[in-house]
Amino acid sequence: MTSPARGAPGQAGAILALTGPAYLWLAVAILLPLSAMFYFSFLSEAPMAGKTAEWTLANYRAFLEQDFYRTLMLRSLRLGAEVVFWCFVLGFPCALVLAKSIRGRAREALFLLVILPFWSNALVRIFSWTMMLRGNGILEKAIDMVFPGAGHLNLMFTYEAVVIGLVHSYLPYMILTCYISLQAIEDDLLEAARSMGASRLTILRRILLPLALPGILAGVVLIFVPVIGSFMEPRILGGRNGTFIGTVIEDQFTAVFNWPLGAALSFIMLGCVGVVFAVSRLALGRRG
Amino acid sequence: MRMLSLGGAGRVYLALVLLFLYCPIVVMAVMSFNESQFYTLPVKWSAKWYVALAGNERILSAAANSVGIAVLTTLIASVLGTAAALAFFRYRFRGREALQLLLFPPIAIPWLITGTAMLLFFFWIGIGRGLHAILLGHVALALPYVIIVTSARLKAYDPDLELAARSMGAPPWMVFRRVTLPFLAPGFLAAALFAFAVSFDQFVISYFLTVPGTSTLPVEIYTAIRKGFTPEINAISTIVIGFSMALLLGVARFYKFGGERK
């Protein structure tokens, strides 16, 4: 097994032996469950405990006919867009500073510091915000110290609290993807632009942003998708104001036990995400 | 030479973003040592919440479950994932790209959907919920990461090294021990730590596959948060986040995330 044995008789067997176990596992734990969920989404009820189910489109129709689900889907899409927006606004300059104005070991250390929280426990990080945001919490006390008598913010259990928590969760993603593409831009290019008299704004608009676009888009996708499917963050930080399509799907599986409806809503959610990306791709393609 | 001398402003900005990222975590850690349970300031230092934690059977058994599942996930995902990565490295075969593409659903589809789909399917075919189901799910989530991290390391591997060693008369086992293994070890180690972190920090999948009574640490923390705040949660959360950050520093030691490659 030391050299690539191309076309050797044992090759097919070796490939099967090496990839088989991993893909069998993925099939049982990911692909079959997703297929089963797709199947369930067309059933009148879960075909378990001796119940017989009929084929139906009612679960998908519920989404079209009831304003409730559509409103929530739009609310989730808006949440996704807002979180992505703030992640970009906060993260891109940060990636730029890291990639282009800090060098050597300091950059390595700072980069690690930025992405470290991202790979740590998401639930715990969301929980840590409750201490910041709650009434009479740390944030209010800090504001009170700087501006005495500024009044109460009372951010806990609001839409804004959910946005703050999610931005905190996903910001490192945007910094990471932007950093990778900004880092690949040759310094000579920037030097050339500057020597020809380009202002900082021009360099940003004509060189940095266009060349970093793949990284920005990767960040957008990597943040938008999980935010649309979030349910733990809105539950902890949003309270009664934290109802989104994700929490409704969770309810179908853990509280209401209408699994076919939950399945249909899940695929509608995936479909909406797909449509959003297709449309933005078209829009971007036209401009470029 | 700095190309964009954003100077002090850039550094201040970076410091502010880091403050935003770390402030809540630091506050949580400080509050876990605060004697008052109503988060009163100034902090009166005390370890009483950690002592209380040591007597909390539920949390302790959940922690044991979490570590056990993470260890098993690491072992299984490392072996299966490394094997698959080796196949992708050594052989060009039909369907190779398709197999590699199949690694993305577990990463790209929201965990809410993967988790509920697992719940539905496992329940339907009789696997049911419980620690075994959680293990099944965690390994599937960790596999793509192991394959991707290991593949990245393999990409830099030159099989000619082995050839050179053999031509100098080294027996095969020596080639493996002195050439192949030392080169690949950091990649394997990074992948293994990654798998451990994916499993140890996983909440969503475990949440849907858990049975009341026997759950993992994140699920237990979530339940406690939903029931109401107690500083004990701060204590266990601080331990969890400290532990996973230490773990990921370990990963970073062996595997550079898009950093400068030299």
Side-chain angles (χ1 to χ4, degrees), chain B residues 11-170:
Chain B
R11 272 140 214 266
V12 170
Y13 182 78
L14 198 61
L16 284 176
V17 168
L18 283 172
L19 182 73
F20 170 68
L21 286 177
Y22 283 90
C23 190
I25 300 171
V26 171
V27 165
M28 180 180 72
V30 169
M31 286 306 161
S32 75
F33 287 104
N34 193 356
E35 196 179 12
S36 155
Q37 60 168 312
F38 303 108
Y39 311 120
T40 48
L41 292 171
V43 174
K44 242 177 113 188
W45 299 97
S46 153
K48 75 183 223 197
W49 303 114
Y50 289 87
V51 175
L53 199 62
N56 189 327
E57 289 295 327
R58 273 182 80 101
I59 294 274
L60 289 184
S61 81
N65 288 340
S66 270
V67 172
I69 286 180
V71 168
L72 283 175
T73 299
T74 307
L75 288 176
I76 299 169
S78 301
V79 172
L80 302 191
T82 304
L86 273 175
F88 290 139
F89 173 67
R90 296 227 186 252
Y91 308 107
R92 303 277 172 276
F93 53 94
R94 210 191 297 166
R96 185 169 170 272
E97 276 75 29
L99 280 188
Q100 281 171 324
L101 215 62
L102 273 181
L103 296 177
F104 288 98
I107 300 177
I109 293 180
W111 285 334
L112 167 69
I113 295 185
T114 323
T116 51
M118 284 180 187
L119 165 67
L120 177 152
F121 180 69
F122 292 170
F123 219 80
W124 190 31
I125 65 164
I127 294 176
R129 294 177 301 168
L131 294 180
H132 62 293
I134 293 177
L135 179 67
L136 204 53
H138 282 196
V139 172
L141 282 194
L143 268 174
Y145 293 101
V146 171
I147 296 177
I148 289 167
V149 171
T150 313
S151 295
R153 184 70 190 173
L154 281 169
K155 218 177 256 170
Y157 183 62
D158 186 356
D160 286 349
L161 279 178
E162 290 179 2
L163 220 64
R166 265 189 305 172
S167 71
M168 314 247 289

Side-chain angles (χ1 to χ4, degrees), chain A residues 1-2 23 25 29 90 94 101 107 111 113 117 119 123 127-128 131 134 168 187 191 194 200 225 250, chain B residues 2-5 11 13-14 20-22 24 39 90 99 108 118 136 162 207 218 234 248 252 257 260:
Chain A
M1 259 194 41
T2 43
Y23 278 89
W25 202 295
L90 291 174
C94 190
S101 85
R107 155 147 70 157
F111 180 72
L113 216 52
W119 270 288
L123 168 73
F127 170 62
S128 70
M131 255 154 286
R134 60 210 287 276
H168 182 254
D187 287 345
E191 188 57 36
R194 216 161 26 171
R200 278 188 190 175
V225 177
E250 186 220 335
Chain B
R2 281 182 219 129
M3 294 322 297
L4 282 183
S5 48
R11 272 140 214 266
Y13 182 78
L14 198 61
F20 170 68
L21 286 177
Y22 283 90
Y39 311 120
R90 296 227 186 252
L99 280 188
M118 284 180 187
L136 204 53
E162 290 179 2
Y207 173 69
N234 290 344
L248 290 156
F257 305 102
E260 285 164 291

Side-chain angles (χ1 to χ4, degrees), chain A:
Chain A
M1 259 194 41
T2 43
S3 61
R6 252 163 243 188
Q11 188 185 318
I15 293 170
L16 197 68
L18 287 173
T19 58
Y23 278 89
L24 190 67
W25 202 295
L26 284 175
V28 170
I30 304 271
L31 301 175
L32 286 175
L34 287 174
S35 315
M37 184 136 106
F38 194 59
Y39 168 65
F40 270 48
S41 72
F42 294 102
L43 296 181
S44 56
E45 58 184 322
M48 286 180 285
K51 284 184 201 145
T52 47
E54 286 164 22
W55 291 96
T56 177
L57 284 172
N59 301 312
Y60 288 93
R61 227 183 292 132
F63 180 80
L64 294 174
E65 283 165 1
Q66 293 179 35
D67 288 340
F68 175 68
Y69 298 121
R70 238 175 336 169
T71 314
L72 280 182
M73 190 69 234
L74 287 175
R75 200 168 127 89
S76 285
L77 290 172
R78 186 186 136 201
L79 178 73
E82 276 182 32
V83 171
V84 164
F85 172 79
W86 287 113
C87 284
F88 173 71
V89 168
L90 291 174
F92 185 82
C94 190
L96 190 59
V97 173
L98 268 177
K100 292 293 166 210
S101 85
I102 291 173
R103 286 287 126 106
R105 290 195 69 83
R107 155 147 70 157
E108 229 167 87
L110 284 169
F111 180 72
L112 196 61
L113 216 52
V114 166
I115 58 167
L116 192 57
F118 178 65
W119 270 288
S120 65
N121 198 295
L123 168 73
V124 169
R125 274 181 300 135
I126 288 295
F127 170 62
S128 70
W129 274 102
T130 59
M131 255 154 286
M132 300 289 289
L133 298 175
R134 60 210 287 276
N136 207 17
I138 303 299
L139 197 62
E140 280 189 5
K141 279 181 182 155
I143 291 174
D144 204 52
M145 253 193 289
V146 185
F147 310 103
H152 288 291
L153 270 176
N154 234 341
L155 276 175
M156 192 63 192
F157 302 131
T158 60
Y159 178 83
E160 288 73 22
V162 180
V163 174
I164 293 173
L166 286 167
V167 169
H168 182 254
S169 281
Y170 292 105
L171 177 61
Y173 239 150
M174 184 62 90
I175 299 177
L176 176 68
T177 57
C178 287
Y179 172 80
I180 289 172
S181 53
L182 283 171
Q183 197 211 8
I185 299 173
E186 294 289 337
D187 287 345
D188 296 346
L189 193 62
L190 304 180
E191 188 57 36
R194 216 161 26 171
S195 71
M196 310 219 335
S199 69
R200 278 188 190 175
L201 198 68
T202 312
I203 293 180
L204 179 71
R205 215 166 46 85
R206 303 287 295 272
I207 300 177
L208 291 173
L209 279 176
L211 286 178
L213 196 62
I216 297 170
L217 289 182
V220 168
V221 174
L222 290 174
I223 295 168
F224 190 75
V225 177
V227 167
I228 301 293
S230 63
F231 71 93
M232 169 268 283
E233 297 88 345
R235 286 244 196 263
I236 294 179
L237 295 176
R240 269 192 301 126
N241 292 309
T243 311
F244 292 92
I245 198 74
T247 58
V248 168
I249 292 175
E250 186 220 335
D251 275 340
Q252 301 307 317
F253 283 92
T254 59
V256 187
F257 297 108
N258 189 345
W259 289 9
L261 178 61
L265 289 175
S266 297
F267 283 103
I268 289 168
M269 186 176 104
L270 280 183
C272 286
V273 170
V275 167
V276 167
F277 286 133
V279 169
S280 35
R281 210 173 155 172
L282 272 178
L284 277 173
R286 204 164 289 158
R287 250 192 359 177

